[in-house]
Amino acid sequence: MPDQHLRTDWMLRHVAIGPLFRALSRMQVEGREHIPKTGAVIIAANHLSAMDALAVPLAVGRPTTFLGKAEYFSMPGIKGKLMAGFMERVGTIPVDRKQGRAALLSLDSAQQALEAGRAFAMHPEGTRSPDGRLYRGRTGVARLSLVTGSPVVPCGITGTDKLQTAGSRRLRPAKVTVSFGPELSPAAYTSGPMAVRSRDMTVDIMKAIQALSGQEYVDSFSPGPRAPTDPPIA
């Protein structure tokens, strides 16, 4: 539903969500010139808050697809149906983090979105930072880039964790900045097997994100605000 996706994106950006979000966040966008106006691109961003899912698409300036928790698509009652309809219309791809194979299938859907020339956003950390630091990246972003040939634009977000604190549903005014850096091309990673290339590219992606966000880096995977038995999104 490309036309419906575009109409929904316009309504959210300019009427339903964008004006209120900008008023609360006084959002500043830096480096938008690094984002191609058309064609496939992967936005690789740090992850501080659920509000990142609003900040990134608004900052990108074009329809942007995300991976989203499968629970958003299966909530009961009228509220659940409205939520599922909203997620479908903005192009969110559901991920069941309790099923590792389902997560891999969701990445297959992400590959299809990129092959269709869409912008796709992911958090290499796989889950929200529990303490504001930047954690080691997982290789899903790099693998998608290497398989599809899509460039990766690093993105550093600051302030969304203050706009909505962990565990709270309330928003409070806070300054949010979203910064984009020069793209990383998969063509620069040709030496060795996929596992080596994807890890090398992931290291460079995380260095670029850190330079944009100014976060302290932790060379271990984020435990995240999730149950220990839930596998992260790759």
Side-chain angles (χ1 to χ4, degrees):
M1 296 181 286
D3 292 339
Q4 187 179 50
H5 189 199
L6 287 171
R7 288 196 297 270
T8 303
D9 179 84
W10 189 92
M11 284 294 295
L12 294 173
R13 188 179 302 279
H14 298 288
V15 179
I17 292 178
L20 176 60
F21 185 88
R22 292 188 181 93
L24 285 171
S25 67
R26 294 169 286 133
M27 188 172 69
Q28 180 177 343
V29 180
E30 300 174 350
R32 186 181 278 164
E33 67 274 11
H34 296 300
I35 301 171
K37 290 182 170 53
T38 59
V41 61
I42 303 171
I43 310 299
N46 59 322
H47 197 8
L48 298 173
S49 163
M51 289 297 100
D52 298 338
L54 298 180
V56 171
L58 288 172
V60 167
R62 56 180 280 197
T64 306
T65 299
F66 263 98
L67 295 180
K69 292 189 295 186
E71 293 92 315
Y72 291 144
F73 295 81
S74 58
M75 295 169 60
I78 295 176
K79 181 178 179 181
K81 291 181 180 179
L82 290 173
M83 174 66 77
F86 170 80
M87 289 293 177
E88 289 173 1
R89 282 169 172 77
V90 297
T92 304
I93 299 172
V95 179
D96 185 351
R97 293 189 294 183
K98 296 180 180 178
Q99 301 292 332
R101 180 58 185 164
L104 292 176
L105 291 174
S106 298
L107 290 177
D108 289 341
S109 298
Q111 180 176 333
Q112 293 175 17
L114 289 167
E115 290 173 347
R118 293 164 68 177
F120 183 77
M122 283 185 71
H123 301 294
E125 292 167 279
T127 185
R128 293 198 302 272
S129 171
D131 53 18
R133 296 184 295 175
L134 182 69
Y135 284 78
R136 186 180 186 188
R138 298 179 183 273
T139 58
V141 170
R143 286 178 179 270
L144 273 178
S145 175
L146 292 166
V147 168
T148 64
S150 306
V152 175
V153 172
C155 174
I157 307 168
T158 62
T160 50
D161 53 337
K162 296 179 178 62
L163 184 67
Q164 184 182 44
T165 57
S168 173
R169 295 186 178 183
R170 298 181 60 184
L171 301 181
R172 57 184 182 183
K175 177 64 177 176
V176 171
T177 300
V178 183
S179 303
F180 301 101
E183 70 176 39
L184 288 83
S185 171
Y189 302 88
T190 58
S191 178
M194 172 63 80
V196 172
R197 289 184 288 138
S198 61
R199 176 46 59 188
D200 288 346
M201 189 176 189
T202 300
V203 169
D204 289 344
I205 290 170
M206 300 313 292
K207 286 180 179 177
I209 293 174
Q210 183 188 22
L212 294 165
S213 68
Q215 293 167 281
E216 177 186 348
Y217 179 72
V218 181
D219 193 20
S220 62
F221 294 123
S222 172
R226 58 183 175 83
T229 56
D230 289 350
I233 298 172

